[in-house]
Amino acid sequence: FTLSPLNPSRSKVGGGGSKPASSKQTGLIANLCQQQSKNPDSFVQEHFNKSLTDLQGSEADTLIKMLNNKRKG
């Protein structure tokens, strides 16, 4: 039995993979949406056809990146 190094591909998946989105992720999505005068539930529904509370970690990460890019640009 040998210990393998941390999976290097994990960082490519983005924040959480197929695990449920964390409360930090969903809270950040809600805050970023509100700052941009968007309804968080509608925004999530529009992009993933599910509610904010049903997001997977990787989906939440994608939305956070989208929202951050819109905020910068």
Side-chain angles (χ1 to χ4, degrees):
F1 176 75
T2 59
L3 292 175
S4 61
L6 292 174
N7 184 350
S9 64
R10 180 182 166 138
S11 63
K12 293 179 184 173
V13 172
S18 60
K19 296 179 190 173
S22 70
S23 58
K24 278 187 171 183
Q25 286 177 307
T26 56
L28 181 56
I29 290 168
N31 286 338
L32 290 170
C33 281
Q34 289 170 355
Q35 288 172 15
Q36 297 176 31
S37 301
K38 299 179 188 299
N39 179 298
D41 292 315
S42 298
F43 183 75
V44 172
Q45 187 72 29
E46 178 183 324
H47 291 281
F48 287 105
N49 201 29
K50 57 175 69 172
S51 71
L52 183 60
T53 56
D54 291 333
L55 281 178
Q56 294 180 347
S58 59
E59 295 167 333
D61 188 56
T62 298
L63 292 178
I64 290 165
K65 287 176 182 172
M66 288 173 59
L67 289 161
N68 277 329
N69 285 339
K70 288 181 181 181
R71 190 172 65 165
K72 291 175 189 172

